[in-house]
């Protein structure tokens, strides 16, 4: 509680900062509140900052998931859960060897080896449906690879770790998008700075739909250059979105 209080005071002093310091601060507070019940008024103070949903553990599915995920990870036990994927709009059963658990961009993620997909996958905890089931009765049912980098995968975007063939995509960013990307990229692809504040981002994509959703946040400040097929598809998607709003002029 003392550590959480110090961090909460620091956060209140800084305000909500969306940079590496702010994200690390949110992550530290999240971990402390998961590990222990905070006393009032500290609990209310942290809740007011909109850092976490601090419901009672027995009534908060997210807290229940995190408790089970953390225990399974620590004991190296496999888990099974139903997961909602945005690409297909479906809920499917996944069997996972948890390798890491962490907070990225305000969302908890668990990453590990997915038996059904035979590869590493990153899951947002808030998209888990129903209960997380621990399927091993004994500890050490699997081993975490020595070269596994939890930070690399937990901070990755959905389109990088989804299923499907990998496609190399070149994205052009204007000055505004470049400024945002330098502060939010978290290791995504390779960013090359150009003259006039412009830049180009090269990224390997496994989910085109995931990339379109992520890139749409930048609006007209970013555009796909290659492959041409994806450039056309993204322009059409953005034009269709703008057409829904009569007071927004189309962008050439």
């Amino acid at each position: 509680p003392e550590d959480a209080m110090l961090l909460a005071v620091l956060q209140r002093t800084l305000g909500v900062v969306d940079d590496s310091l702010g994200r690390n601060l949110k992550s530290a507070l999240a971990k402390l509140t998961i590990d222990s019940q905070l006393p009032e008024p500290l609990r209310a103070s942290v809740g007011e900052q909109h850092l976490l949903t601090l419901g009672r553990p027995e009534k908060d599915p997210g807290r229940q998931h995190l408790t089970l995920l953390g225990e399974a990870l620590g004991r190296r036990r496999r888990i099974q859960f139903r997961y909602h994927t945005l690409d297909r709009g479906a809920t499917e059963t996944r069997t996972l060897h948890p390798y890491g658990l962490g907070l990225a961009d305000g969302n908890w993620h668990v990453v590990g080896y997915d038996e059904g997909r035979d590869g590493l996958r990153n899951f947002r905890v808030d998209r888990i449906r129903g209960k997380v089931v621990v399927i091993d009765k004994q500890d050490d049912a699997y081993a975490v690879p020595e070269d596994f980098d939890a930070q690399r995968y937990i901070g990755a975007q959905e389109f990088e770790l989804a299923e499907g063939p990998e496609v190399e995509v070149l994205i052009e960013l204007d000055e505004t998008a470049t400024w945002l990307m330098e502060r939010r990229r978290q290791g995504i692809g390779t960013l090359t700075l150009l003259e006039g504040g412009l830049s180009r981002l090269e990224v390997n994509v496994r989910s085109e739909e995931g990339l379109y959703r992520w890139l749409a946040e930048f609006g007209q400040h970013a555009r796909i250059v290659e492959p041409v097929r994806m450039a056309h598809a993204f322009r059409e998607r953005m034009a269709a979105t703008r057409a829904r709003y009569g007071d927004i002029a189309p962008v050439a």
Side-chain angles (χ1 to χ4, degrees):
E2 292 81 6
D3 293 335
M5 185 171 292
L6 288 172
L7 292 175
V9 170
L10 176 61
Q11 198 281 333
R12 184 176 289 278
T13 303
L14 292 174
V16 178
V17 181
D18 187 24
D19 59 13
S20 58
L21 175 61
R23 288 189 292 270
N24 287 334
L25 181 55
K26 289 169 66 176
S27 178
L29 273 167
K31 291 170 183 174
L32 285 170
T33 53
I34 290 299
D35 290 341
S36 62
Q37 287 293 309
L38 299 181
E40 298 290 352
L42 178 58
R43 187 178 180 82
S45 176
V46 175
E48 287 171 4
Q49 302 296 329
H50 304 290
L51 295 176
L52 295 166
T53 299
L54 299 176
R56 292 177 54 128
E58 64 271 20
K59 295 184 179 180
D60 186 342
R63 292 285 296 275
Q64 293 176 342
H65 291 337
L66 289 173
T67 299
L68 288 170
L69 292 171
E71 183 175 348
L73 173 61
R75 294 179 177 274
R76 299 293 189 265
R77 294 184 178 184
R78 295 175 300 157
I79 57 174
Q80 199 169 71
F81 53 84
R82 299 275 293 167
Y83 188 74
H84 183 73
T85 57
L86 291 180
D87 276 359
R88 292 187 297 277
T91 302
E92 304 170 335
T93 299
R94 302 297 184 98
T95 301
L96 188 72
H97 304 188
Y99 286 178
L101 179 67
L103 193 68
D105 293 330
N107 298 301
W108 281 97
H109 297 252
V110 59
V111 62
Y113 174 76
D114 185 330
E115 289 186 358
R117 275 66 182 174
D118 190 23
L120 284 174
R121 293 292 184 269
N122 183 5
F123 300 94
R124 267 181 52 171
V125 175
D126 63 338
R127 292 184 189 156
I128 293 177
R129 302 294 183 258
K131 295 182 178 180
V132 175
V133 179
V134 179
I135 60 178
D136 290 310
K137 295 183 179 180
Q138 302 295 327
D139 295 349
D140 300 319
Y142 64 91
V144 178
E146 293 183 1
D147 61 349
F148 174 72
D149 181 1
Q151 190 63 38
R152 163 68 181 90
Y153 288 97
I154 289 171
Q157 293 294 327
E158 179 185 5
F159 62 78
E160 296 179 281
L161 300 178
E163 302 161 30
E166 192 171 79
V167 179
E168 293 185 4
V169 180
L170 178 62
I171 301 168
E172 189 173 85
L173 308 171
D174 69 7
E175 186 174 4
T176 299
T178 298
W179 185 89
L180 290 170
M181 189 66 68
E182 286 184 294
R183 287 153 181 80
R184 296 171 52 188
R185 189 165 58 96
Q186 294 182 309
I188 298 173
T190 301
L191 186 67
T192 302
L193 300 179
L194 307 174
E195 294 182 0
L198 306 179
S199 67
R200 288 197 166 189
L201 177 69
E202 299 174 74
V203 63
N204 293 324
V205 174
R206 291 186 178 275
S207 168
E208 294 185 15
E209 289 294 322
L211 177 69
Y212 296 154
R213 286 194 298 269
W214 176 77
L215 202 57
E217 297 179 13
F218 295 91
Q220 62 187 23
H221 301 289
R223 70 182 185 92
I224 297 175
V225 178
E226 296 176 354
V228 175
R229 171 186 60 81
M230 289 182 63
H232 288 317
F234 182 64
R235 282 201 300 270
E236 290 176 358
R237 172 168 297 210
M238 294 297 288
T241 300
R242 295 188 188 98
R244 296 180 183 180
Y245 304 93
D247 58 341
I248 298 180
V251 177

